[in-house]
Amino acid sequence: MERDDLSSEFMRLLGSVPDASPDIGECLAAAQRIDIDDENSWHREWAVMAHQAGQVAESAISRGCAETAMAGWLRAIAYYQAAAFPFEGDDSRAQAMVARMRTCARAFLHCRDPQGEVVMIPWRADYPLQGYFLPARGEAGEAPAVLCVSEPGQRKESCLPKLAHLAMERGLSLLVVDLLGADSGEGFADIVGSRELESAIGCAMDYLTDRDDVDEHRIAILADEWGSSFVARGIALDRRYAAAVCDAGLWDMQERAFLAGYSAAAGAAIDIGSTSRVARRIMCPVLVALREQGWLQPDHVARLVAEMKQDHPDITLKLFAGEQGGADNPAPGNAFVFDWIAARLSKARRLWS
């Protein structure tokens, strides 16, 4: 593909569809039918693919084949997201794709065993959060849980194809949350600049700790796409997390370095320090998982994390190359992340037992 934006979205799609081996072929076939200069062509192809995946899921349900149905609904979610990609959020075509994506998510939750839930989480008085809660399979009593938070403006539905099976396979409950509310996300523009944005993370944690089927001592938080300064700021000074996957304060350190360089160039003597206040305030073990092709050079990341370890020794750095879990193939990286989380939550269980 000649358009970088559509090429990136196509690679994201290949990395998100479950049971990739039978699906890559149909994705490649669909891509060959797309006129790269026509956004409506891109939209139509993935909308048709999503509709067909939904039909497969409905047929499987009628035959009592729940596992096949769930795989179909997850594929439909991924395809509807791709169909919405070229358009702005207020475009009627994008809104229609989002509505169908949410319908597929509810269908997936309904046919899952145990069934998942669409949950409403109090946040601002006029703006509750919406999430999907997937209980752990085969776990009696209070189960360990992972809270996955989408970056501001990103949709929680995209987490289901990537993460639902990873949590289930490891005996973990999963709550995925975004900041787009319960409707089409139109109200998000009014709150995106709010200083209270990170407080949404604490509200989602409050919801989890209030559930009778979640072990409040074994809750990890995962930033969708791993490296999130938003999540890092939200969990600073919050002692309730047993583990976290986020940027641990890397962005904060970069901002401070920029300000230090700017003030020096301007002849100002401003001492802003070199270490991250965010990293110093995070109380739980942290995994910093980044792709080598990301926004920071690997050797620079390693130096920054080494500085963080002076104040927070329990920080693990994992850098993924393309074939190991990079942008072109995120599945191995997500598996590594969930293995790390499961190990940390198991350790937390021994500490509290």
Side-chain angles (χ1 to χ4, degrees):
M1 290 188 179
E2 298 178 0
R3 281 185 48 177
D4 290 342
D5 59 340
L6 297 184
S7 295
S8 297
E9 177 63 12
F10 182 67
M11 297 309 300
R12 181 210 61 76
L13 175 62
L14 290 182
S16 67
V17 289
D19 301 322
S21 54
D23 296 327
I24 289 178
E26 67 181 26
C27 289
L28 292 174
Q32 291 176 350
R33 296 191 296 269
I34 294 172
D35 179 356
I36 200 64
D37 296 320
D38 181 3
E39 288 181 344
N40 285 317
S41 172
W42 169 280
H43 166 73
R44 284 193 304 270
E45 284 297 332
W46 296 119
V48 168
M49 293 283 288
H51 178 69
Q52 291 173 346
Q55 287 183 318
V56 169
E58 290 175 352
S59 175
I61 285 293
S62 68
R63 302 192 310 271
C65 302
E67 293 293 333
T68 301
M70 287 192 294
W73 291 128
L74 291 178
R75 287 166 55 210
I77 290 170
Y79 296 151
Y80 277 130
Q81 183 183 10
F85 174 77
F87 309 117
E88 298 294 333
D90 58 354
D91 187 287
S92 61
R93 291 163 295 186
Q95 292 181 1
M97 295 301 97
V98 170
R100 293 175 190 174
M101 186 165 58
R102 287 187 165 185
T103 298
C104 293
R106 287 180 170 87
F108 167 77
L109 296 176
H110 182 72
C111 66
R112 187 179 181 272
D113 181 23
Q115 285 192 6
E117 306 171 38
V118 180
V119 301
M120 301 303 295
I121 301 170
W123 182 29
R124 295 162 62 106
D126 58 342
Y127 198 97
L129 303 172
Q130 186 184 82
Y132 300 136
F133 182 77
L134 287 65
R137 178 176 291 183
E139 184 81 12
E142 297 178 342
V146 179
L147 167 60
C148 179
V149 182
S150 297
E151 283 290 282
Q154 300 301 309
R155 296 194 175 277
K156 61 187 177 298
E157 288 79 13
S158 66
C159 298
L160 294 177
K162 296 183 297 183
L163 307 180
H165 67 290
L166 295 173
M168 181 185 67
E169 291 165 357
R170 291 158 180 78
L172 305 173
S173 295
L174 177 67
L175 173 64
V176 295
V177 179
D178 61 28
L179 302 183
L180 294 168
D183 54 22
S184 62
E186 294 177 0
F188 177 71
D190 297 330
I191 67 163
V192 67
S194 170
R195 296 175 63 89
E196 305 173 25
L197 211 58
E198 290 86 1
S199 67
I201 296 174
C203 293
M205 182 60 161
D206 291 341
Y207 169 82
L208 277 177
T209 57
D210 285 342
R211 288 188 66 104
D212 294 335
D213 55 355
V214 170
D215 184 346
E216 64 177 317
H217 301 304
R218 291 188 292 157
I219 299 176
I221 185 167
L222 165 65
D224 186 25
E225 302 298 332
W226 311 333
S228 172
S229 59
F230 163 68
V231 167
R233 293 192 304 272
I235 67 174
L237 292 179
D238 193 330
R239 295 178 178 270
R240 295 178 292 175
Y241 298 96
V245 181
C246 60
D247 88 336
L250 283 177
W251 182 256
D252 181 55
M253 293 183 77
Q254 284 294 102
E255 285 187 325
R256 295 169 73 79
F258 172 79
L259 290 174
Y262 181 82
S263 63
I270 302 176
D271 181 14
I272 61 173
S274 60
T275 59
S276 168
R277 290 173 295 183
V278 174
R280 292 198 303 268
R281 292 172 178 175
I282 296 176
M283 307 299 176
C284 64
V286 182
L287 172 64
V288 178
L290 298 173
R291 299 179 177 92
E292 287 187 350
Q293 309 92 331
W295 58 283
L296 287 176
Q297 293 295 320
D299 56 344
H300 184 52
V301 172
R303 287 195 299 271
L304 293 178
V305 171
E307 290 182 30
M308 291 180 180
K309 282 181 173 288
Q310 298 175 15
D311 298 307
H312 193 322
D314 202 348
I315 295 180
T316 301
L317 173 63
K318 178 64 176 179
L319 294 171
F320 294 101
E323 69 276 8
Q324 298 173 325
D328 292 347
N329 184 21
N334 284 326
F336 177 93
V337 166
F338 267 79
D339 285 341
W340 182 89
I341 288 173
R344 288 296 183 173
L345 295 185
S346 178
K347 182 177 181 180
R349 180 176 188 173
R350 293 194 297 271
L351 290 174
W352 284 98
S353 60

